[in-house]
Amino acid sequence: MNQKESVRNIIPWDGALSSSDFFCAASAFSEKWKRFNPSAPPWLWVPSPKHHLLSSHKEEGYLSLEDMCFIKSSEDQESCRSQTWKEESSISQEEEAVDTATLVQSCFDEVNHYDFHIVYSPSYRVPVLYFRSYHSDGQTLPFDEIEKDLPDYCAKIRLESKWTFITHEEHPYLNRPWYKLHPCGTSEWMKLLFHGDTSLNKNGFVIEHYLVSWFSVIGQVFDLKIPLAMLETVSC
Amino acid sequence: MSGAATVSASEANKLVWEGAIPLLIHLHDSEVTTLPPPPPALVLAPRLGYLPLLISQLKPYFSSTLPPGVDTLWFEYKGLPLKWYIPTGVLFDLLCAEPERPWNLTVHFRGYPSNLLLPCEGEDSVKWSFINSLKEAAYVINGNCKNVMNMSQPDQVELWRSVLNGNLESYQRVSSKLKLVTLEDEYTENVNAVPTASQENSGEADAPAQVKSGRIPVRLYVWTVTEDFDDLESAPQIDNWDKVSYINRPVEIHKEDGKYFSLNDAIKTLLPEYFPASSFGNLGDVSPNQRDEGANTCDPDPSSLPLENAEIKLVRIQGIEPCLEIPFSWVVNNLMNPEYFLHICICLRVSEVNAVQ
């Protein structure tokens, strides 16, 4: 065992990750997601944009899940709560004609597109979720519109939990305004999720399962669910 | 007061707090509705301040000529919309390779480019951004932001006021209560280790006694050139924010007695991709190109090796170009901004392939 590992095994885990651990965790997460959630759009690793100084280094980057579509029925907002996440890009050429007809018939008048990026924060040493939303014509949604997309209980989670408040901030790589879920409580609840069990830190178990656990909490804010089978790989 | 350390302002601190940039601010043509057009406003902007805070000085100059509508203040320099949450001094150091005095800026009161810039609703937005950065810095230094979150209301007000008014004494009175100690000044005798928290070192018993470690909040603004330039006037103009690589990464210190950690060392640890791994062993956070064999669950990445040796052409902090051999502790203690971040503007010379396009 080398120095780094031996140190890690002694010191109580603080709920946080190093930058290189994040890269490993991201690989593990995207692979599991693909395996257990094949119908959803994949999480892809995006290396630092070409224009960024660190673009030559593959480990610098973030996880991206783009173009998740949130389709809302224009009919009675209360009863017709058929707000669902749908991957528009999975609609093949053939199916398109059929789906358009279906869409017209169901009076879906709004498709909001969401992009989610999981970016590592060196200051907080945890992953941070950045997101933005836009209409099909590319126009960005203001936050109060985004709020309408989310089920009521999500708003409740967001407001009541001191750990999940949303701020308007610039994307660390893309020089554009995005929204982010504030990271300052993350290491605390990540510690809880792993029951504060130091022994779990052996052999990279924590790294392997970090993002699955993290996402199982964060995803609730957006009603993005992790398949049960994926969660079961973490329980011990 | 024996408990709270009342640090007397060093000469450097005073100069930094008094630092200001003379601005010559022109109203954008499209917003001039009267003839003759109003003359530009000459304003002295504190280095440590933020551009939107100048509205109270600027509005009187231009209000009579503005078209009807709601004020949404924003600034640009040679066509580049300015990020309002970056301190004024940093913007100047970054965007004016050859310092321009006065600095000619264009102001807009209409047509906010909200696809490019975060919204700014006046002083409150700036204050929020400042406090948020302070919390982040506290987290970096102490591993939590409790001390900032637990500030009393009067203290918060006084802290922000002191930044607004450039009042160093008042600032130090309140900020010392936060007990955000970054580094021991290496000019003074280190008798007791400063309890700067580091996550990795919480298992104190196992760490060698003489290693003092800490994390220092740093924000790097890096732009690259592919050719040498002799004088700053011929340095390329930054006309797009994509040409600046913003690196918000703490410097990790693992210092051994007898060695000191210079500004040069600090910069190189922040840019391991461009500078071969230094001799400083990192216990916790492994920089990407230091890989122990078989340590991680994923394979070492061959592309993580540095591609070339870049050359540091220019380093600017608070408008000065410090000698790179200065102890980093001095730089941090004397040149950081009130939110406890050290902002460093760097120009690197790299090969064509690695240039920031």
Coordinates of all heavy atoms in Angstrom, one line a residue, chain A residues 53, chain B residues 83 85-87 90-91 93-94 218-224 238 241 243-248 314 316 339 341-348:
Chain A
L53 N -7.2 26.8 -20.5 CA -5.8 26.5 -20.3 C -5.5 25.0 -20.0 O -4.5 24.4 -20.4 CB -5.2 27.3 -19.1 CG -3.7 27.3 -18.9 CD1 -3.1 28.2 -20.0 CD2 -3.4 27.9 -17.6
Chain B
K83 N -17.2 41.5 -16.1 CA -17.9 40.7 -15.1 C -17.8 41.5 -13.8 O -16.8 41.8 -13.2 CB -17.1 39.4 -14.9 CG -17.1 38.6 -16.1 CD -16.5 37.2 -15.9 CE -16.5 36.4 -17.2 NZ -16.1 35.0 -17.1
Y85 N -18.6 41.0 -10.7 CA -18.3 40.4 -9.4 C -16.7 40.2 -9.3 O -16.3 39.7 -8.3 CB -19.0 39.1 -9.2 CG -18.8 38.2 -10.4 CD1 -17.7 37.3 -10.5 CD2 -19.8 38.2 -11.4 CE1 -17.5 36.5 -11.6 CE2 -19.6 37.4 -12.5 CZ -18.5 36.6 -12.6 OH -18.3 35.8 -13.7
I86 N -16.0 40.6 -10.3 CA -14.5 40.6 -10.2 C -14.1 42.0 -9.7 O -14.6 43.0 -10.2 CB -13.9 40.3 -11.5 CG1 -14.3 38.9 -12.0 CG2 -12.3 40.4 -11.4 CD1 -13.6 38.5 -13.4
P87 N -13.3 42.0 -8.6 CA -12.9 43.4 -8.1 C -12.3 44.2 -9.2 O -11.6 43.8 -10.1 CB -11.9 43.0 -7.0 CG -12.1 41.6 -6.6 CD -12.7 40.9 -7.9
V90 N -8.6 43.9 -10.1 CA -8.3 42.7 -10.8 C -8.6 42.8 -12.3 O -7.8 42.5 -13.2 CB -9.0 41.5 -10.2 CG1 -8.7 40.2 -11.0 CG2 -8.6 41.3 -8.7
L91 N -9.8 43.4 -12.6 CA -10.2 43.6 -13.9 C -9.1 44.5 -14.7 O -8.7 44.2 -15.8 CB -11.5 44.4 -14.0 CG -12.8 43.5 -13.7 CD1 -14.0 44.4 -13.6 CD2 -13.0 42.4 -14.8
D93 N -5.9 45.0 -13.8 CA -4.6 44.3 -13.9 C -4.7 43.2 -15.0 O -3.7 43.0 -15.7 CB -4.3 43.6 -12.6 CG -3.9 44.5 -11.5 OD1 -3.6 45.7 -11.8 OD2 -4.0 44.1 -10.3
L94 N -5.8 42.7 -15.2 CA -6.0 41.6 -16.2 C -6.1 42.1 -17.6 O -5.5 41.7 -18.6 CB -7.2 40.8 -15.9 CG -7.6 39.6 -16.8 CD1 -6.5 38.6 -16.8 CD2 -8.9 39.0 -16.4
V218 N -7.2 31.0 -3.5 CA -6.6 31.8 -4.6 C -7.5 31.7 -5.8 O -8.1 30.7 -6.1 CB -5.2 31.2 -5.0 CG1 -4.6 31.9 -6.2 CG2 -4.3 31.2 -3.8
R219 N -7.5 32.8 -6.5 CA -8.2 32.9 -7.8 C -7.2 33.4 -8.9 O -6.7 34.4 -8.8 CB -9.4 33.8 -7.8 CG -10.5 33.2 -7.0 CD -11.8 34.0 -6.9 NE -12.8 33.1 -6.2 CZ -13.9 33.5 -5.7 NH1 -14.2 34.8 -5.7 NH2 -14.8 32.7 -5.2
L220 N -7.0 32.5 -9.9 CA -6.0 32.8 -10.9 C -6.7 33.2 -12.2 O -7.7 32.6 -12.5 CB -5.2 31.5 -11.3 CG -4.1 31.0 -10.4 CD1 -3.4 29.9 -11.2 CD2 -3.1 32.0 -10.1
Y221 N -6.2 34.2 -12.9 CA -6.8 34.6 -14.1 C -5.6 34.5 -15.1 O -4.7 35.3 -15.1 CB -7.3 36.0 -14.1 CG -8.3 36.3 -12.9 CD1 -7.8 36.5 -11.6 CD2 -9.7 36.2 -13.2 CE1 -8.7 36.7 -10.6 CE2 -10.6 36.4 -12.1 CZ -10.1 36.7 -10.8 OH -11.0 36.8 -9.8
V222 N -5.6 33.5 -16.0 CA -4.5 33.2 -16.8 C -4.8 33.4 -18.3 O -5.8 33.0 -18.8 CB -4.0 31.7 -16.6 CG1 -2.7 31.5 -17.4 CG2 -3.9 31.3 -15.2
W223 N -3.9 34.2 -18.9 CA -4.0 34.3 -20.3 C -2.7 33.9 -21.0 O -1.7 34.0 -20.3 CB -4.5 35.7 -20.7 CG -3.7 36.9 -20.1 CD1 -3.8 37.3 -18.8 CD2 -2.8 37.8 -20.7 NE1 -3.0 38.3 -18.6 CE2 -2.4 38.7 -19.7 CE3 -2.3 37.9 -22.0 CZ2 -1.5 39.7 -20.0 CZ3 -1.4 38.9 -22.3 CH2 -1.0 39.8 -21.3
T224 N -2.8 33.5 -22.2 CA -1.5 32.9 -22.8 C -1.1 33.7 -24.0 O -1.9 34.3 -24.7 CB -1.7 31.5 -23.2 OG1 -2.8 31.4 -24.1 CG2 -2.0 30.6 -22.0
I238 N -7.2 41.2 -24.7 CA -8.2 40.2 -24.3 C -9.6 40.7 -24.7 O -10.1 41.6 -24.1 CB -8.2 39.9 -22.8 CG1 -6.8 39.2 -22.4 CG2 -9.3 38.9 -22.4 CD1 -6.6 39.1 -21.0
W241 N -13.9 36.6 -23.0 CA -13.6 35.9 -21.7 C -13.1 34.5 -21.9 O -12.5 34.0 -21.0 CB -14.8 36.0 -20.8 CG -15.0 37.3 -20.2 CD1 -16.0 38.2 -20.5 CD2 -14.2 37.9 -19.2 NE1 -15.8 39.4 -19.8 CE2 -14.7 39.2 -19.0 CE3 -13.1 37.5 -18.5 CZ2 -14.2 40.1 -18.0 CZ3 -12.5 38.4 -17.5 CH2 -13.1 39.6 -17.3
K243 N -10.7 33.8 -23.6 CA -9.3 33.9 -23.7 C -8.6 33.9 -22.3 O -7.4 33.9 -22.2 CB -8.8 35.1 -24.5 CG -9.2 34.9 -25.9 CD -8.6 36.0 -26.8 CE -8.9 35.7 -28.3 NZ -8.6 36.9 -29.1
V244 N -9.5 34.0 -21.3 CA -8.9 34.0 -19.9 C -9.3 32.7 -19.2 O -10.5 32.4 -19.2 CB -9.5 35.2 -19.1 CG1 -9.0 35.1 -17.6 CG2 -9.1 36.5 -19.7
S245 N -8.4 32.0 -18.7 CA -8.7 30.8 -18.0 C -8.8 31.1 -16.5 O -7.8 31.5 -15.9 CB -7.6 29.7 -18.2 OG -7.7 29.3 -19.5
Y246 N -10.0 31.0 -16.0 CA -10.2 31.3 -14.6 C -10.0 30.0 -13.8 O -10.7 29.0 -14.1 CB -11.7 31.8 -14.5 CG -12.1 32.0 -13.0 CD1 -11.5 32.9 -12.2 CD2 -13.3 31.3 -12.6 CE1 -12.0 33.1 -10.9 CE2 -13.7 31.5 -11.3 CZ -13.1 32.4 -10.4 OH -13.5 32.5 -9.2
I247 N -9.1 30.1 -12.9 CA -8.8 28.9 -12.1 C -9.0 29.2 -10.6 O -8.2 29.9 -10.0 CB -7.4 28.4 -12.4 CG1 -7.3 28.0 -13.9 CG2 -7.1 27.2 -11.5 CD1 -5.9 27.6 -14.3
N248 N -10.1 28.7 -10.1 CA -10.5 29.0 -8.7 C -10.1 27.7 -7.9 O -10.9 26.8 -7.7 CB -12.0 29.2 -8.6 CG -12.4 29.6 -7.2 OD1 -11.7 29.9 -6.3 ND2 -13.7 29.5 -7.0
L314 N 4.3 37.2 -16.9 CA 3.8 38.4 -16.1 C 3.0 37.9 -15.0 O 2.1 37.0 -15.2 CB 3.0 39.3 -17.0 CG 2.4 40.6 -16.5 CD1 3.5 41.5 -16.1 CD2 1.5 41.2 -17.5
R316 N 0.7 39.6 -11.9 CA 0.3 40.9 -11.3 C -0.7 40.6 -10.2 O -1.7 39.9 -10.3 CB -0.4 41.7 -12.4 CG 0.1 43.1 -12.4 CD -0.5 43.9 -13.5 NE 0.4 44.4 -14.4 CZ 0.1 44.7 -15.7 NH1 -1.1 44.6 -16.1 NH2 1.1 45.2 -16.5
E339 N -12.3 39.7 1.0 CA -13.0 38.4 1.1 C -12.1 37.2 1.3 O -12.5 36.1 1.2 CB -14.0 38.2 -0.1 CG -13.4 37.7 -1.4 CD -12.6 38.7 -2.1 OE1 -12.4 39.8 -1.6 OE2 -12.1 38.3 -3.2
F341 N -9.6 36.2 -0.5 CA -9.1 35.6 -1.7 C -7.8 36.4 -2.2 O -7.9 37.6 -2.2 CB -10.1 35.5 -2.8 CG -10.9 34.2 -2.8 CD1 -12.1 34.1 -2.1 CD2 -10.4 33.1 -3.5 CE1 -12.8 32.9 -2.1 CE2 -11.1 31.9 -3.5 CZ -12.3 31.8 -2.8
L342 N -6.8 35.6 -2.6 CA -5.7 36.3 -3.3 C -6.0 36.1 -4.8 O -6.1 35.0 -5.3 CB -4.4 35.5 -3.0 CG -3.1 36.1 -3.5 CD1 -2.8 37.5 -2.9 CD2 -2.0 35.2 -3.3
H343 N -6.1 37.3 -5.5 CA -6.4 37.2 -6.9 C -5.1 37.5 -7.7 O -4.4 38.5 -7.5 CB -7.4 38.4 -7.3 CG -8.7 38.3 -6.6 ND1 -9.8 37.8 -7.3 CD2 -9.1 38.6 -5.4 CE1 -10.8 37.8 -6.5 NE2 -10.4 38.3 -5.3
I344 N -4.7 36.6 -8.6 CA -3.5 36.7 -9.3 C -3.7 36.6 -10.8 O -4.3 35.7 -11.3 CB -2.5 35.5 -9.0 CG1 -2.4 35.3 -7.4 CG2 -1.2 35.7 -9.6 CD1 -1.5 34.2 -7.0
C345 N -3.2 37.7 -11.5 CA -3.3 37.7 -13.0 C -2.0 37.2 -13.5 O -0.9 37.8 -13.2 CB -3.6 39.1 -13.4 SG -5.2 39.8 -12.8
I346 N -2.1 36.3 -14.4 CA -0.8 35.7 -14.9 C -0.9 35.6 -16.4 O -1.9 35.2 -17.0 CB -0.7 34.2 -14.4 CG1 -0.6 34.2 -12.9 CG2 0.6 33.6 -15.0 CD1 -0.4 32.8 -12.3
C347 N 0.2 36.0 -17.0 CA 0.4 35.7 -18.5 C 1.4 34.6 -18.7 O 2.6 34.7 -18.1 CB 0.8 37.0 -19.2 SG 1.1 36.7 -20.9
L348 N 1.1 33.6 -19.4 CA 2.0 32.5 -19.6 C 2.4 32.5 -21.1 O 1.5 32.6 -22.0 CB 1.3 31.1 -19.4 CG 1.2 30.6 -17.9 CD1 0.7 29.1 -18.1 CD2 2.5 30.6 -17.2

